[in-house]
Amino acid sequence: MTEYDSPWKEALDRYFESFMALCFPVLWAHIDWSVPPKMLDKELQQIAPQSDVGQRTVDKLVEVRLLSGEIEWLLIHLEIQSQPAANFAERMFVYFYRIRDKYDRPLVSLAVLGDDDPNWRPNRFQQDLFGCRIEFEFPTLKLLDFGDQIDNLEQSDNPFATVVLAHLMTMRTAGSPRDRCAWKIRLLRPMYSRGMSAEDVRGLFRVIDWMMDLPTDLAIEFDGELRKIEEENQMPYVTSIEQRGIEKGREEGRVAGQIQLIQRLLGQTETTMLQLLTQPLEELRGQLDALQIELAARMG
């Protein structure tokens, strides 16, 4: 099953400003980006509704400074939802009032809808009972709406345009692995011609490689094309530094994903995928065994 959550978490941690510029440009223009945003993921986990424990979702809480000075600090609650969920709007409301209650700070909630249903567009939660009325509305972005902007996304210098393209083409090529392989190569090539740093190329490659999963035969074919691209451009950004990750990363990635899931179930702070994938496979398996024992003891 295609994994969307982990790649999005990695991309948001690394390219949050680029994400805001592409997806929520009005708010982006009001933020003072000379002050680095502060990720409050640990704090968000502590106030997550109990029903959300173990859910496969991407949620972020970010502290930013505004340019105007009228509101010096602003909290941004962000949800990335890859599948329709009947209670999504209510969950957005619950997170909003819990965050607001805990921090008593100005707060904006945003949602990115990454599913394949063009008609699913929740943007408000409301209730009206016996004169007691609640209406909570939040901005949403539907990734499918970028579907007619493929050329613009490909030509964009914003690195998050590549993340959005990877998401869209992963959905569009479901059941067509050869088309997915072709798109994966197509997304990778421009990284070497745009003068991106080696670090940025590696970061985006991890996101694309994780999201646009391929069967073994095409994965081998893709690795071969990747080597050719790097040889042509004389830029061995990925193959020389992360060759081991390409050859063994699928097993490491599977174990790392299990580690993150159990950490979430235990209410622990999740180790980032980047940190996990830099560890040897043997260490990852040992960490997974220890977490499984702890989970079994708690459930027993």
Side-chain angles (χ1 to χ4, degrees):
M1 185 175 180
T2 296
E3 170 68 85
Y4 290 104
D5 296 340
S6 296
W8 267 92
K9 287 181 179 179
E10 293 288 333
L12 287 169
D13 284 340
R14 183 177 181 85
Y15 300 110
F16 182 73
E17 179 181 355
S18 299
F19 160 78
M20 292 295 295
L22 180 68
C23 297
F24 296 98
V26 174
L27 178 52
W28 168 82
H30 286 80
I31 295 174
D32 182 357
W33 294 104
S34 68
V35 180
K38 184 178 180 181
M39 298 295 176
L40 303 174
D41 294 355
K42 183 177 180 180
E43 290 81 351
L44 184 60
Q45 287 181 359
Q46 293 173 352
I47 61 176
Q50 187 62 36
S51 60
D52 281 0
V53 174
Q55 275 198 3
R56 301 297 294 170
T57 188
V58 180
D59 47 18
K60 307 289 288 185
L61 184 60
V62 186
E63 183 182 68
V64 297
R65 175 175 284 178
L66 297 186
L67 290 167
S68 66
E70 296 176 5
I71 301 175
E72 184 176 13
W73 293 101
L74 176 72
L75 294 177
I76 298 175
H77 167 228
L78 174 65
E79 290 273 339
I80 312 296
Q81 184 69 23
S82 297
Q83 296 180 349
N87 67 336
F88 180 73
E90 182 178 3
R91 192 173 84 221
M92 291 290 291
F93 171 66
V94 170
Y95 269 98
F96 180 88
Y97 77 67
R98 288 196 176 195
I99 295 169
R100 179 78 186 194
D101 180 61
K102 180 176 179 63
Y103 292 101
D104 190 24
R105 300 267 295 281
L107 170 66
V108 172
S109 289
L110 309 173
V112 173
L113 308 178
D115 63 290
D116 59 2
D117 181 356
N119 298 316
W120 189 67
R121 296 173 180 266
N123 70 341
R124 65 166 53 87
F125 171 75
Q126 53 190 0
Q127 176 181 291
D128 192 350
L129 292 173
F130 303 103
C132 180
R133 188 171 189 271
I134 298 171
E135 184 169 4
F136 172 68
E137 188 171 352
F138 50 93
T140 62
L141 175 77
K142 189 79 172 183
L143 292 184
L144 283 180
D145 292 343
F146 281 107
D148 59 354
Q149 302 178 42
I150 301 302
D151 290 343
N152 291 337
L153 290 174
E154 283 196 274
Q155 296 168 17
S156 175
D157 292 328
N158 186 321
F160 221 92
T162 301
V163 178
V164 171
L165 265 175
H167 187 112
L168 290 173
M169 293 309 149
T170 299
M171 289 195 298
R172 188 174 293 185
T173 58
S176 303
R178 184 155 293 280
D179 289 340
R180 179 173 296 180
C181 183
W183 263 105
K184 194 170 180 178
I185 295 170
R186 180 170 169 175
L187 293 180
L188 184 65
R189 282 188 180 279
M191 296 185 199
Y192 291 86
S193 59
R194 288 178 180 163
M196 296 178 66
S197 68
E199 187 177 3
D200 279 337
V201 171
R202 287 194 296 269
L204 282 175
F205 173 80
R206 276 191 293 270
V207 172
I208 294 172
D209 191 50
W210 188 263
M211 190 179 296
M212 305 189 77
D213 55 317
L214 295 170
T216 302
D217 57 336
L218 287 176
I220 294 173
E221 182 178 321
F222 170 80
D223 291 348
E225 289 298 316
L226 173 61
R227 293 187 185 93
K228 291 180 183 178
I229 293 172
E230 296 203 323
E231 289 172 0
E232 291 170 4
N233 292 275
Q234 298 182 343
M235 297 177 183
Y237 289 166
V238 176
T239 52
S240 65
I241 298 175
E242 298 192 9
Q243 186 65 41
R244 179 175 170 276
I246 294 172
E247 294 172 351
K248 299 177 64 177
R250 288 162 183 81
E251 174 63 14
E252 291 176 343
R254 183 187 67 79
V255 176
Q258 290 178 320
I259 289 173
Q260 284 192 327
L261 176 59
I262 295 178
Q263 287 177 329
R264 192 178 304 128
L265 290 171
L266 291 171
Q268 300 178 358
T269 301
E270 289 183 39
T271 309
T272 68
M273 190 58 64
L274 176 58
Q275 290 173 325
L276 289 170
L277 292 180
T278 57
Q279 299 178 37
L281 181 58
E282 293 73 19
E283 290 184 14
L284 288 175
R285 285 174 173 159
Q287 187 176 348
L288 177 60
D289 289 341
L291 286 169
Q292 287 175 330
I293 292 172
E294 183 177 352
L295 180 62
R298 184 173 299 186
M299 295 179 66

